[in-house]
Amino acid sequence: MQMNSRSDVGEERDGVLLFLCGDVMTGRGIDQIMAHSVKPRIYEPYVKDARRYVELAEAVSGPIPEKAGPAYIWGEGLDVLKDMAPDFRIINLETAVTDNEEYWPGKGINYRMHPKNIDCLSVAEIDCCVLANNHVLDWEEAGLKETLTTLRKAGIRFTGAGRNREEAWRPAVLGSSERDGRVLVYSFGFSSSGIPSQWAVGPEKPGVNFLPDYSRSTVEKVATRVRKEKKRGDVVVASVHWGGNWGYDVADRERDFACALIDKAGVDVFHGHSSHHFKGLEVYHGRPIIYGSGDLLNDYEGIGGHKGFRDDLCLMYFPMLDPVDGRLRQFTLTPMQIKRFQLRRPSEKDIAWVEAVLNRESRQFGSLVVDKGEGSLALKWE
């Protein structure tokens, strides 16, 4: 795989640099500040109007612009992306993109963003949205279908959900040449993240790539598909929505599953998400495992509870992979803060907090981070 872009230090690089992140939740309150908003009625136990989340955020952080432009939510994150110049940009899009009015009953929380706001992804030059998560079907099958259509029209690839099993399992292919190598992105989800089992995709039934367990047979199912698609020089990303919202623990079965996908399925990057805060990092046989990448954008400002996890602090992940064998060469992490529904550079004190928590949670996996300067951290591993 030959890439001609430049790294953050302005030198030619012979590697593939990815941008990965956790949940990008552009529905609900965030949708209400954009140029085109869906109707604010929501069906939660305590909040019935999505604009209430805007009010809560403004009460603690100050005024948020009305009819904000598409670049607003990315804030200083766009500067980071410009400086890092990743070859491909991959996000977990945790919302339906639809104005369908029929919601999935009894689910409790239903996220949607107006289709006309899709330019908020285009302005950040997002290449791929992984969709096997617990919000993409919040507004029924019609909402999922409109999400897929909207992404396709915007030229954004997707994987992990589809109108049928073949479409959902099909990897998003980034890069155009099998000879020079590509990035293949797969997306899967578990019930532990809140995905209803009824959302599992069928042969001709719309849904998501729902994995039933962490067993050898599940690993082999994934491996069989990857072997079918992967060519020499390709890099494979497995993006997995799993686990609860809060807590740093990584279960043995989760770690075993991530390692098995590397050993058995030829996965080069394991990209985990669902928790609303970041978790520890591991490099296993030269392949990075992000056990929980946290949220990148959400509307949680002003919501009480769980503040010890500092869900306002988030990370932009930039792993650089060898173009021949897919092994990790270097890994830059850039802390950001969500304030007024926008990404901003955090204080030095907050960056130090992120560094301390990452080291506390990653040390058990033989990894640690060090201050790289200029607001970024570098991952080191055994």
Side-chain angles (χ1 to χ4, degrees):
M1 179 179 296
Q2 300 298 320
M3 299 293 172
N4 296 318
S5 50
R6 293 177 180 270
S7 71
D8 55 327
V9 293
E11 298 174 353
E12 289 287 348
R13 64 172 182 251
D14 182 20
V16 54
L17 183 66
L18 302 180
F19 163 60
L20 301 169
C21 66
D23 303 350
V24 173
M25 309 178 78
T26 51
R28 208 167 65 177
I30 290 180
D31 174 78
Q32 293 301 307
I33 71 165
M34 293 188 186
H36 307 278
S37 301
V38 298
K39 294 179 181 179
R41 177 77 166 96
I42 52 178
Y43 302 90
E44 300 176 9
Y46 303 107
V47 178
K48 305 302 180 184
D49 190 312
R51 292 171 294 189
R52 177 58 179 155
Y53 289 100
V54 182
E55 295 172 356
L56 290 171
E58 290 184 324
V60 298
S61 299
I64 298 173
E66 296 180 5
K67 304 298 181 182
Y72 173 79
I73 56 175
W74 296 98
E76 293 176 301
L78 289 180
D79 296 330
V80 175
L81 289 170
K82 181 180 179 181
D83 291 343
M84 293 297 296
D87 297 302
F88 301 112
R89 308 178 185 201
I90 302 165
I91 68 170
N92 173 47
L93 180 63
E94 187 119 2
T95 185
V97 185
T98 181
D99 58 4
N100 180 47
E101 289 296 316
E102 295 182 14
Y103 68 100
W104 194 279
K107 188 167 176 293
I109 297 177
N110 306 83
Y111 270 83
R112 61 174 172 162
M113 175 180 78
H114 198 291
K116 290 184 179 179
N117 291 328
I118 193 64
D119 52 355
C120 76
L121 302 185
S122 300
V123 74
E125 300 181 41
I126 301 304
D127 294 291
C128 173
C129 292
V130 296
L131 300 178
N133 59 56
N134 59 315
H135 286 295
V136 74
L137 266 158
D138 277 355
W139 296 85
E140 294 280 358
E141 290 183 2
L144 171 62
K145 291 176 180 177
E146 187 171 13
T147 300
L148 304 178
T149 298
T150 303
L151 290 170
R152 184 174 285 113
K153 287 181 178 178
I156 301 173
R157 298 172 181 84
F158 58 84
T159 183
R163 295 172 177 82
N164 52 56
R165 182 177 294 159
E166 176 55 32
E167 184 175 41
W169 272 85
R170 186 182 305 139
V173 180
L174 310 180
S176 58
S177 172
E178 291 188 13
R179 182 189 64 188
D180 292 335
R182 309 164 298 175
V183 175
L184 307 182
V185 184
Y186 295 85
S187 172
F188 310 102
F190 286 92
S191 63
S192 59
S193 70
I195 301 175
S197 59
Q198 306 97 299
W199 287 14
V201 71
E204 297 301 329
K205 171 183 170 292
V208 303
N209 278 346
F210 182 85
L211 298 183
D213 52 41
Y214 300 90
S215 66
R216 291 182 180 178
S217 62
T218 297
V219 171
E220 183 56 33
K221 182 179 181 181
V222 174
T224 298
R225 182 70 195 217
V226 174
R227 292 189 202 108
K228 177 182 176 182
E229 304 283 351
K230 187 177 183 180
K231 309 295 183 184
R232 182 178 176 83
D234 287 345
V235 168
V236 172
V237 177
S239 192
V240 179
H241 206 60
W242 63 351
N245 291 335
W246 308 104
Y248 292 104
D249 289 347
V250 176
D252 289 343
R253 65 176 185 172
E254 293 174 337
R255 188 182 185 194
D256 290 345
F257 180 80
C259 294
L261 287 193
I262 292 170
D263 286 336
K264 306 296 184 182
V267 166
D268 299 297
V269 179
F270 187 95
H271 174 217
H273 37 81
S274 178
S275 60
H276 292 315
H277 57 86
F278 56 82
K279 293 186 175 185
L281 298 161
E282 180 173 8
V283 179
Y284 174 76
H285 291 176
R287 270 69 184 176
I289 300 176
I290 305 170
Y291 285 108
S293 44
D295 292 346
L296 185 70
L297 288 162
N298 62 39
D299 63 352
Y300 293 169
E301 279 176 86
I303 300 176
H306 303 107
K307 289 305 178 184
F309 291 100
R310 293 297 308 269
D311 61 326
D312 62 313
L313 296 177
C314 51
L315 286 165
M316 302 175 75
Y317 298 81
F318 296 95
M320 182 183 288
L321 309 168
D322 189 280
V324 177
D325 61 13
R327 295 175 71 87
L328 183 65
R329 283 188 170 179
Q330 62 185 49
F331 200 156
T332 299
L333 302 100
T334 302
M336 302 297 291
Q337 184 175 34
I338 306 169
K339 191 170 184 179
R340 298 179 185 171
F341 293 176
Q342 183 182 58
L343 291 178
R344 299 186 178 184
R345 291 278 196 172
S347 67
E348 291 185 7
K349 181 179 178 180
D350 283 339
I351 292 174
W353 186 91
V354 171
E355 180 181 355
V357 173
L358 277 174
N359 282 330
R360 185 190 72 201
E361 299 304 322
S362 302
R363 190 170 288 112
Q364 62 185 310
F365 305 124
S367 301
L368 57 85
V369 295
V370 296
D371 190 340
K372 190 178 179 180
E374 298 184 353
S376 290
L377 306 171
L379 183 69
K380 305 296 182 181
W381 61 94
E382 295 178 352

